[in-house]
Each structure stands twice: as C-alpha cells, then as structure tokens.
Amino acid sequence: MSSLNLKNIYKVYPSGVVAVSDFNLDIEDKEFIVLVGPSGCGKSTTLRMIAGLEEISSGELYIDGNLVNSVVPKDRDIAMVFQNYALYPHMTVYDNMAFGLKLRKMPKDQIDQRVKEAARILGIEMYLSRKPKALSGGQRQRVALGRAIVREPKVFLLDEPLSNLDAKLRAQMRTEITKLHNRLATTFIYVTHDQIEAMTMGTRIVVMKDGFMQQVDTPINLYDHPINQFVAGFIGTPQMNFFTGRLVGTKNDVSVEFGLDKIRLPQDKVDLIVNLEKYLNTDREIVLGIRPENVHDDKDWIAHHGKDSTIEVKVDVIEALGPETILYCKTKSEMSEEEKSIADDISNLVAKVDSRSATVANTHINVAFDMVHCHLFDKETEVTILAKDETNKAEIEALQAKREEEEAAKAAAKLEAQAAEDAKANAALEKQRAKMEKKAAKKDKAE
Ligand code: ADP
C-alpha cells in the first residue's frame, strides 16, 4: 500500500520565489500520476518535496496516512529517477544497481537476487558487467530505473527521465515505463513538460502553471473538457485554435460570431453553457476553441453539416505528414491583399485533415467546424463556460466567480500601484517646483 496525500502545500524559496502554491492532491495506491506543465511551473519542486530533497514551506504531506514533512529522504521508502541518470562511471552496471542496497547492509545473496530480477525485468542482464560508458542512452536509463527498482520502494518518482533520449528511443522507453508500472504495481509520480508523455502514460494528469494546479483529470477528460484556455492549449498537437468573439441569437438558436464569420452552436452545447444570459447578445467576449482535428475540408462532411457550420478560408501552407495532412489557413478577417512580411502574415486556423485530402495551397476553400466538439471560454477569466454535464454547472460557476474576484483584485492592485506611482511622481515634481521657487526668490532678493 502506498497512498499519498498532499494538503495545501507551498514552496517559497529563500530568494522569495513562490515555486508551488496550494498544491492539493490525493494519490491512490498504484496510480501513475503525471505532473505536466511548461518549464518553471513548479513540477520538479513538487516532486523534490515529496522525495524530501526540498523542505515543504507550509502544508502537509502524508504517505500511507503518516505525516512525513520532517522524515528524512532515506526513511520515506521512495526511489527517484533523474533525467541525467546519475550513474557512477567507475562502477559496473551490477555495482551501480547494488550500491544502495550495500549501503543499507542488505545480505549479499538478497542483493544478488534483487539485482538479477530487476535486470531481467529491464532486459539488461547481458550488460551487468559493463561500465556505464559502454552503454547507449536508453540502456543507461534502464540501469537508472533498475537502481530504483531493486529498492522495492513504495513510490517511484521520475523527473523527466526521458528528456535526454532521442525521439525514437523516447517513444520506446515510454511504453517500457508503462509496462514497468503494470508489472511492479506501485505508485508512480512522473514529471514531464511533454504533453504526449503525459497523455500516454498517466492514469491521471496534473496540469500546472506558475506554481498553481490548473486541472487534475484523466487524459481523455483533459482533452475533452479542459477547464480553462491554458489547459486547452497545452494538451493536444497541433494546438487548439482560438477565436475571440461573441454569442448572438436567441436562447434556442445561438451562434458564435468571430471576426467576419459566424457559426451556429448545436442546441446540446447551448444547454450546457453556464450563465448564457451573461454572454448572449452582450458585450462580454468569449473565446471559441476548436481543435485542428475537428476542422474538416471533406466535401461530403461539409455538405452533410450544412452552411451554418462552414466558413471560407484561404489555405496558406500544406504539410503532408503521411498519416495526416496539416492545413495552415487564414479566416476572412486575416485575409488581406496587402503584402505583409512573413512574420506578420498569420495563419490563424490550423486544420488536421485526411492525408488523401485534395486541398491545394493558395486556394480559397470551405471548411466545417465539428461544433459538437467545440469549446467556449470566458475571454476575461479564461475559464470554460461549457459544463461537462448538468451536475458540473455549479462548479464552473464557482470557478468563474473566483477568477472574476481575482481579476478584480488584480485590477484594483494595479490601480493602487499606479496611484502610488503618480503620487510619488507628483511629490517629486512638487519638490522640484518648490526648489526652483526658492532659488528664484533668492535670486530676486540678491537683485
Ligand atoms: P519545473 O520543474 O516545472 O521546470 P521548478 O520546480 O524547477 O520548475 O521551478 C519552479 C520555480 O522555482 C522556477 O521559477 C525556478 O526558477 C524556481 N526555483 C527552482 N529551484 C530553485 C532554487 N533552488 N532556488 C530558488 N528558486 C528556485
């Protein structure tokens, strides 16, 4: 058994950097949790706090129900695998794997049994007498995993373990680590900035940004129901398309108006909008999100779905990748006859279409949005306004309200800071004026 509970965990480095804020997560035994997010979002810090390599500034960490905040790393029964392998170059693979157990004074025959069993699981039995320099990157990473396995820890922590490998090997090691997790049936916590690793390996994924958890969910739920624009943009390649616009029409016939285009929302989607009246025919902007794979250029598809889900675009560039083709297009509002520099010339719609598509570059075509799979976000808060189902509406409403409050507080703080800045500038001016007046008076007197 190895469950973990992280409660209101914060990390503030001595420099004042708040690396992790209010991290809350209950991890069940045998889960494969992935922490994912851009560089600097606090993933490694969180992992290192779990390992005990970094002090927890505030909050509580429980392993199997026991508070471990002040338990030293070696007593936490956790093994960590790093990106840079950290193998001892002068030791053989066998000794690298046995080293930690020797330090723990484990009997020799038991060490031998564990090392050989780990080597068998990882398929590195034939390299046991080699030194690390005589191994490939993938083999070294397997030794690093082996060194963790022999300890039979309660929890495996893996910090970007595949980043140093080339793309092909990374894909292979991804499946190997998944198999290893199935085989060992132990809790894994894995840190990566790569959303493909997260989606393919995690039973649940924690998406982080600026030290804050954004969403914790299964891969498919993150893909289908991203809670905000950040998660929507982070998960999926190519990235989701976003268009700022407004909701117009009547309660039973709602369309999204964006740029010079307009697309109708299916009624099932309209029924899931939280606080429709706040957005319908008002000035409050929304962001329409549509994934490239939900934009179709297939004529039959377009004919079947009708005019109100179709827009005209100009195709700028086509990338035929083999299994699929990517179209880089411009919607009407981006089309212009003016010559622009390459940097200013924006293709604002990306479509992932069938590789047999007949579309050619530099033509105007119709594309249809599969609005059953569209996403809608509040432009200001960036939180979704589409509930997963009826029961989820209250949760989204609360999140919207919280974000609005935060935005208002931020705006107020900004105004206050501006006012303080203005006051300071005024005071300086006043001082200068007084000084000049004094000087003038002195001059007058002298004359
Ligand atoms: P990630 O793993 O997501 O790339 P990290 O957890 O390494 O992010 O870092 C989170 C934030 O904390 C970053 O802003 C980083 O610069 C800062 N940070 C990390 N380690 C230290 C440290 N030892 N001292 C001060 N700041 C740190």
Side-chain angles (χ1 to χ4, degrees):
M1 278 297 289
S2 44
S3 63
L4 283 94
N5 310 91
L6 293 97
K7 291 197 190 311
N8 311 108
I9 293 207
Y10 283 79
K11 176 68 193 182
V12 186
Y13 281 110
S15 60
V17 173
V18 184
V20 178
S21 294
D22 202 16
F23 195 99
N24 284 287
L25 186 65
D26 292 327
I27 303 174
E28 283 173 31
D29 187 30
K30 303 187 182 61
E31 273 203 274
F32 195 134
I33 294 285
V34 179
L35 308 183
V36 70
S39 177
C41 71
K43 309 177 294 284
S44 295
T45 301
T46 306
L47 203 70
R48 292 169 62 79
M49 284 194 283
I50 296 173
L53 301 173
E54 207 64 75
E55 202 183 320
I56 295 172
S57 305
S58 74
E60 288 147 20
L61 169 65
Y62 296 88
I63 299 180
D64 287 340
N66 300 314
L67 186 67
V68 296
N69 284 43
S70 46
V71 173
V72 295
K74 72 174 179 48
D75 294 334
R76 289 192 187 191
D77 215 352
I78 276 176
M80 191 149 169
V81 180
F82 299 93
Q83 175 182 350
N84 59 7
Y85 325 127
L87 300 177
Y88 299 109
H90 59 284
M91 286 188 197
T92 62
V93 167
Y94 185 101
D95 289 336
N96 260 290
M97 285 165 71
F99 187 68
L101 303 182
K102 278 186 192 157
L103 281 187
R104 277 154 211 260
K105 311 225 173 338
M106 184 180 274
K108 252 189 168 158
D109 55 338
Q110 214 173 327
I111 294 179
D112 191 59
Q113 191 195 340
R114 284 204 189 180
V115 170
K116 286 187 176 149
E117 171 63 9
R120 193 182 60 73
I121 291 174
L122 295 163
I124 51 172
E125 294 147 294
M126 57 294 238
Y127 309 126
L128 284 175
S129 55
R130 285 200 198 170
K131 298 259 174 72
K133 69 170 186 299
L135 298 175
S136 70
Q139 289 160 348
R140 277 182 221 165
Q141 192 50 279
R142 276 192 210 118
V143 178
L145 285 169
R147 200 171 41 180
I149 293 172
V150 293
R151 291 181 45 197
E152 298 183 357
K154 279 188 191 165
V155 184
F156 274 90
L157 305 181
L158 301 105
D159 193 354
E160 305 250 8
L162 309 185
S163 304
N164 282 351
L165 308 178
D166 64 49
K168 194 171 158 217
L169 200 53
R170 229 172 24 230
Q172 184 190 333
M173 287 299 289
R174 232 169 37 214
T175 57
E176 284 186 20
I177 290 178
T178 304
K179 282 188 214 157
L180 188 65
H181 174 247
N182 294 338
R183 175 88 69 104
L184 300 177
T186 311
T187 311
F188 275 45
I189 307 175
Y190 188 103
V191 159
T192 180
H193 64 273
D194 178 351
Q195 56 102 13
I196 295 182
E197 275 179 27
M199 292 294 279
T200 51
M201 298 166 89
T203 48
R204 278 195 304 159
I205 299 172
V206 181
V207 184
M208 294 180 73
K209 182 189 170 211
D210 301 337
F212 287 91
M213 302 167 85
Q214 303 292 305
Q215 188 170 2
V216 184
D217 227 320
T218 59
I220 196 65
N221 271 342
L222 283 183
Y223 178 82
D224 285 338
H225 305 287
I227 195 75
N228 59 30
Q229 231 178 300
F230 174 78
V231 176
F234 194 78
I235 301 290
T237 41
Q239 210 196 39
M240 187 185 284
N241 297 290
F242 294 117
F243 299 101
T244 299
R246 288 196 170 82
L247 296 183
V248 295
T250 63
K251 267 187 174 164
N252 299 317
D253 183 12
V254 178
S255 292
V256 186
E257 225 172 39
F258 59 100
L260 300 170
D261 292 300
K262 189 170 158 182
I263 282 193
R264 189 167 182 267
L265 277 174
Q267 195 57 36
D268 288 357
K269 279 275 178 213
V270 175
D271 293 342
L272 289 173
I273 296 177
V274 180
N275 288 331
L276 176 62
E277 61 288 354
K278 195 159 130 188
Y279 304 96
L280 191 59
N281 305 316
T282 70
D283 279 344
R284 185 119 185 167
E285 287 182 310
I286 55 99
V287 174
L288 166 68
I290 188 94
R291 295 197 185 276
E293 50 273 40
N294 299 129
V295 181
H296 298 267
D297 70 341
D298 176 348
K299 291 209 166 49
D300 289 344
W301 209 98
I302 294 171
H304 187 249
H305 284 78
K307 254 187 133 71
D308 54 12
S309 49
T310 304
I311 61 167
E312 189 194 328
V313 297
K314 177 176 173 259
V315 184
D316 284 333
V317 176
I318 295 183
E319 284 178 354
L321 301 178
E324 69 221 6
T325 292
I326 311 292
L327 311 179
Y328 294 88
C329 314
K330 273 194 194 82
T331 59
K332 273 196 206 110
S333 53
E334 280 300 320
M335 287 182 213
S336 152
E337 295 310 314
E338 277 172 57
E339 279 290 318
K340 288 180 183 167
S341 73
I342 297 174
D344 293 333
D345 188 30
I346 298 164
S347 303
N348 64 337
L349 174 77
V350 178
K352 194 197 270 189
V353 299
D354 195 285
S355 58
R356 309 289 167 234
S357 160
T359 296
V360 286
N362 290 314
T363 54
H364 288 241
I365 61 163
N366 283 330
V367 291
F369 287 9
D370 183 358
M371 294 300 274
V372 170
H373 298 295
C374 80
H375 302 264
L376 295 172
F377 306 94
D378 183 300
K379 164 90 168 138
E380 191 185 313
T381 63
E382 298 187 357
V383 173
T384 182
I385 61 168
L386 270 178
K388 234 189 281 186
D389 48 43
E390 281 301 325
T391 59
N392 173 237
K393 277 189 171 173
E395 192 187 321
I396 290 190
E397 203 168 351
L399 194 59
Q400 285 286 7
K402 188 170 165 237
R403 287 287 295 119
E404 268 168 31
E405 252 172 52
E406 283 167 8
E407 287 294 323
K410 235 196 259 169
K414 206 168 156 191
L415 273 177
E416 222 167 89
Q418 188 61 48
E421 198 71 19
D422 289 351
K424 215 164 125 192
N426 275 339
L429 268 175
E430 197 60 36
K431 206 167 155 191
Q432 200 175 4
R433 202 170 56 90
K435 211 166 150 190
M436 279 167 73
E437 265 174 19
K438 213 166 153 189
K439 219 170 166 184
K442 219 169 163 185
K443 203 172 155 201
D444 277 353
K445 214 169 158 189
E447 278 168 10

